Amino acid sequence: MTGERRALIIANGEYDNPGLSALRSPAADAEALADVLADRAVSEFDVQVVRDETAHVIAGRVEDLFADSAPDDVLLVHFSCHGLKSESGELFFAARNTRPERLASTAVPADFVQRCMRMSRSRSIVLLLDCCYGGAFSQGVAVRATGEANVLDAFPGGGFGGRGRAVITASNSIEYAFEGDQLADDHARPSVFTSALVDGLRTGDADRDEDGWIALGELYDYLFDSVRERNPNQTPSRDIEMQGELYLARSRRRRIKPSPVPADLRAASEDPNMFTRLGAVTELQRRLTSENLSVAIGAHEVLTTMAQTDIQHIAEAADLARREARVRAESEVVRFGEVVRGSRPVARIRLAGPPIARACHFVSSHSWLRVTEDGDGAEISLELSELGAFDGRITVTGPTGEVVVRIEGQVVAEPTPVPPARPEPEPGPPPAPVPKPVPPVETVAPSPKFEPFDVAASVLAFAAAVYLVPISIALSDSMEDFFEDGGWTVIPLGVFATAVGIMMFLPATRRLAGPGALCGLALLSAIPSGPVLLVLTDVCLLAGAVCALIAVRRDRSFRLGLGKPRDGLAIAALVAGAGSAIGLVAEAVELIDYSSSRADEAAIYLVVSVMLLIGTLLGALLRPAAFGVAFLGGVAGGGIVMVCALFYAMPSSSSVTGAGWGIALGAVLALAIVTGFAARKVNG
């Protein structure tokens, strides 16, 4: 393309006249559009921005742009302001000094812009109008305008002498009412049109045919669909008179046309001999890693066909070969951690695999998540102002598949600056005694406030522990019976219930550690076993766990989630949980071999083993780490309780060795020890 590419962005959001309401979007519109048009990776416009200026300044800049142009220049003008119609139906663009009752002398006439466009030598002119349109009436007259703005009528076609021009408006029929000299409609209008324009250019989504260029027609189609999707009551309009296609920007969305594989390779892939086809898979896999993307996608298509239609052995080999070129990121989760409000943190998504697996485009799930693509991935930045956890998605799509990358973290408040200490006054004669140095005062973060559900969870845990006292007395008439009749089996449960009740009460542990431990303990307590008197204890623990989870859910400073095992200690916990489950299963088998009437007891062993496995797996995966480790501690405590209870129920027979029970007890104690080390690491 020859000639210069120049853009003039006119943004008026502040007005001297109180009858024109301030617009929040023009300043942001101007900045965002100027950035994307000046980006050499997207376009090559020389951008000028006129912001909150008077009518004569705006008119002068418009006239200069169109007068100082050559035939091959591409000119783009963008208005973001109020659009006003006079009583005679003429359209004006409001400036900072505009008075609704004196539009002719204080606003920019649309007819003036039209005349400048006709006088220009440029054959490629694009006018973008993102305006609020309203009727202007004399002061003191309350009238609601009922007709359409008919913006395009102010820019009639024809008379351009073969030169091309295009007018695209955010809407052709939006009007507001004036009451006196005030706008009657309290209409807060975000700039849907300009934000869609910027997104379409920046992401390349406006490149509908994926030929690497964004044409004017494609851009309008994208704007129409995007604006209508965001606001069904707003319909963009256009009037385009242009010979040929005008390309406004580049796009990374380049459709890759597959290159046919050589005829001999195609024949080998279809040969009746399976070994010949297997050799073809090897050659196609080599072509799949080619720098020539057309060659690679051609090989991928043939491998896909073989994976779907060939015999199992060949299909598996073809599927394995093409999976090496699937779209994949080096990390499927980008964790920003704590982000200070107002900052603009940046991270990178790196793609792995051969060139065809990295020929992708990126789409973000939220407007606050900005993506800038580069050769082997993308740079992502955040623009967040609200406190609390955030969770977004980046969808990475390429010719060989798609992957979703999670973006998570938490926005925190700016740290409060500590005022400098005042210098001590110099002592005058006679010398005063030197004061003892005062140790610095440590700043302690305020404790989280008590929530009703925290208190309820703590009370229920204590209630469960207290209720165990009469249960143990009811099970035993004497100290000898206390041990012979199983009263001792409730002691561990009482200790653990008391511990979690205290954790739910203490400020340092009631946000994460307390709820985690209570939920883990309640998970094992939900197993139906033991005397009927224990039912009320189990109900108290389960109700306390529900209250603790509700308290966690109401705390907006973090969010529970699942992730990969954190470290070696998490793996050790999983091994210990699996060991305890194996021991319990072995003991269940021994009980059934001893007597078929013991099948019900064996079933409890199996249920406990399953719950231990589920509990350790959840504890190793749960996030935040403090909650997950505490959950493991609760599971270990509940496991100890259940193993003790099962030992009491074992038959006293020499044919029942109890070896499986011993394995389970050792493994669950190991789980408790590993959890202790993990808790120390998290607290450290």
Side-chain angles (χ1 to χ4, degrees), residues 454 457-458 461 496 499-506 508-525 541 544-553 558 560 566 614-616 618-620 622-638 675 679:
D454 291 332
S458 179
F496 294 133
V500 295
I502 294 173
M503 293 173 71
M504 286 302 305
F505 182 78
L506 294 178
T509 55
R510 67 169 174 262
R511 291 179 66 245
L512 288 172
L518 180 54
C519 291
L521 183 63
L523 179 67
L524 273 298
S525 301
L541 288 176
V546 171
C547 291
L549 285 176
I550 294 174
V552 168
R553 182 69 179 85
F558 66 92
L560 290 182
R566 291 176 287 275
I614 294 174
T616 52
L618 282 175
L622 277 168
R623 300 291 187 275
F627 186 93
V629 171
F631 187 89
L632 272 178
V635 170
T675 303

Side-chain angles (χ1 to χ4, degrees), residues 522-572:
L523 179 67
L524 273 298
S525 301
I527 301 172
S529 63
V532 177
L533 294 173
L534 285 174
V535 172
L536 184 58
T537 299
D538 297 338
V539 170
C540 287
L541 288 176
L542 289 172
V546 171
C547 291
L549 285 176
I550 294 174
V552 168
R553 182 69 179 85
R554 288 160 61 92
D555 190 342
R556 298 182 178 274
S557 63
F558 66 92
R559 188 175 63 85
L560 290 182
L562 297 177
K564 296 180 180 179
R566 291 176 287 275
D567 48 25
L569 290 174
I571 301 298

Side-chain angles (χ1 to χ4, degrees), residues 36-210:
V36 73
L37 290 178
D39 186 352
R40 291 297 179 261
V42 177
S43 188
E44 297 179 350
F45 277 93
D46 178 13
V47 181
Q48 300 179 38
V49 178
V50 180
R51 184 179 300 167
D52 295 329
E53 285 288 356
T54 58
H56 76 276
V57 172
I58 296 173
R61 298 292 286 275
V62 170
E63 187 172 15
D64 289 344
L65 175 74
F66 288 117
D68 300 334
S69 61
D72 292 333
D73 290 349
V74 177
L75 306 180
L76 185 147
V77 180
H78 179 274
F79 275 93
S80 180
C81 61
H82 279 298
L84 307 173
K85 286 181 70 175
S86 67
E87 293 178 337
S88 59
E90 297 173 291
L91 178 64
F92 293 83
F93 300 112
R96 180 169 56 82
N97 65 322
T98 295
R99 295 162 57 192
E101 73 280 7
R102 296 290 185 270
L103 293 177
S105 58
T106 62
V108 180
D111 182 63
F112 169 78
V113 179
Q114 170 80 343
R115 291 197 307 271
C116 291
M117 292 168 62
R118 291 182 184 277
M119 293 171 58
S120 174
R121 297 172 60 205
S122 171
R123 292 191 292 265
S124 302
I125 299 174
V126 179
L127 178 63
L128 303 173
L129 304 178
D130 189 3
C131 303
C132 291
Y133 301 111
F137 301 92
S138 301
Q139 183 166 345
V141 180
V143 180
R144 175 176 293 274
T146 57
E148 292 191 346
N150 296 323
V151 183
L152 294 179
D153 291 350
F155 298 92
F160 277 79
R163 292 185 293 274
R165 72 97 167 97
V167 180
I168 299 178
T169 73
S171 176
N172 200 37
S173 58
I174 298 179
E175 289 204 349
Y176 299 93
F178 273 83
E179 293 187 2
D181 59 353
Q182 299 291 325
L183 279 171
D185 289 18
D186 184 12
H187 193 86
R189 182 194 60 87
S191 181
V192 176
F193 178 83
T194 301
S195 61
L197 172 64
V198 171
D199 290 344
L201 295 175
R202 177 184 288 122
T203 64
D205 289 349
D207 183 10
R208 294 298 182 91
D209 60 5
E210 297 184 349

Side-chain angles (χ1 to χ4, degrees), residues 60-377:
R61 298 292 286 275
V62 170
E63 187 172 15
D64 289 344
L65 175 74
F66 288 117
D68 300 334
S69 61
D72 292 333
D73 290 349
V74 177
L75 306 180
L76 185 147
V77 180
H78 179 274
F79 275 93
S80 180
C81 61
H82 279 298
L84 307 173
K85 286 181 70 175
S86 67
E87 293 178 337
S88 59
E90 297 173 291
L91 178 64
F92 293 83
F93 300 112
R96 180 169 56 82
N97 65 322
T98 295
R99 295 162 57 192
E101 73 280 7
R102 296 290 185 270
L103 293 177
S105 58
T106 62
V108 180
D111 182 63
F112 169 78
V113 179
Q114 170 80 343
R115 291 197 307 271
C116 291
M117 292 168 62
R118 291 182 184 277
M119 293 171 58
S120 174
R121 297 172 60 205
S122 171
R123 292 191 292 265
S124 302
I125 299 174
V126 179
L127 178 63
L128 303 173
L129 304 178
D130 189 3
C131 303
C132 291
Y133 301 111
F137 301 92
S138 301
Q139 183 166 345
V141 180
V143 180
R144 175 176 293 274
T146 57
E148 292 191 346
N150 296 323
V151 183
L152 294 179
D153 291 350
F155 298 92
F160 277 79
R163 292 185 293 274
R165 72 97 167 97
V167 180
I168 299 178
T169 73
S171 176
N172 200 37
S173 58
I174 298 179
E175 289 204 349
Y176 299 93
F178 273 83
E179 293 187 2
D181 59 353
Q182 299 291 325
L183 279 171
D185 289 18
D186 184 12
H187 193 86
R189 182 194 60 87
S191 181
V192 176
F193 178 83
T194 301
S195 61
L197 172 64
V198 171
D199 290 344
L201 295 175
R202 177 184 288 122
T203 64
D205 289 349
D207 183 10
R208 294 298 182 91
D209 60 5
E210 297 184 349
D211 64 347
W213 293 97
I214 299 176
L216 181 62
E218 289 180 306
L219 180 61
Y220 173 76
D221 292 340
Y222 171 82
L223 289 173
F224 184 91
D225 294 340
S226 182
V227 171
R228 291 286 292 174
E229 180 181 353
R230 302 182 195 187
N231 182 8
N233 298 320
Q234 184 174 343
T235 305
S237 302
R238 68 175 174 181
D239 184 5
I240 299 177
E241 293 182 359
M242 200 163 289
Q243 296 178 355
E245 195 65 86
L246 174 61
Y247 296 97
L248 294 177
R250 301 182 186 88
S251 165
R252 292 183 180 272
R253 287 199 170 188
R254 192 67 178 266
R255 178 180 296 155
I256 304 171
K257 296 181 179 180
S259 175
V261 300
D264 57 344
L265 183 56
R266 169 71 72 173
S269 69
E270 300 172 352
D271 194 275
N273 188 317
M274 64 172 290
F275 296 103
T276 303
R277 300 199 304 277
L278 196 59
V281 169
T282 303
E283 176 59 22
L284 288 168
Q285 184 177 6
R286 186 190 66 79
R287 293 174 67 87
L288 196 60
T289 61
S290 172
E291 294 285 344
N292 188 324
L293 300 184
S294 297
V295 170
I297 196 63
H300 187 270
E301 288 186 351
V302 178
L303 285 170
T304 301
T305 301
M306 297 179 72
Q308 294 173 348
T309 60
D310 216 319
I311 62 174
Q312 181 178 358
H313 182 65
I314 305 298
E316 289 178 352
D319 185 59
L320 183 63
R322 68 171 182 162
R323 276 162 50 190
E324 292 184 3
R326 71 186 186 278
V327 176
R328 59 187 185 274
E330 291 185 355
S331 175
E332 294 186 0
V333 181
V334 177
R335 295 184 175 90
F336 279 86
E338 290 189 347
V339 176
V340 177
R341 179 170 57 182
S343 63
R344 293 292 182 268
V346 176
R348 280 192 54 77
I349 296 177
R350 298 184 184 276
L351 301 181
I356 190 64
R358 303 194 303 270
C360 302
H361 65 272
F362 298 72
V363 177
S364 65
S365 60
H366 297 81
S367 59
W368 49 261
L369 192 54
R370 299 286 182 155
V371 183
T372 304
E373 300 178 13
D374 54 25
D376 293 327

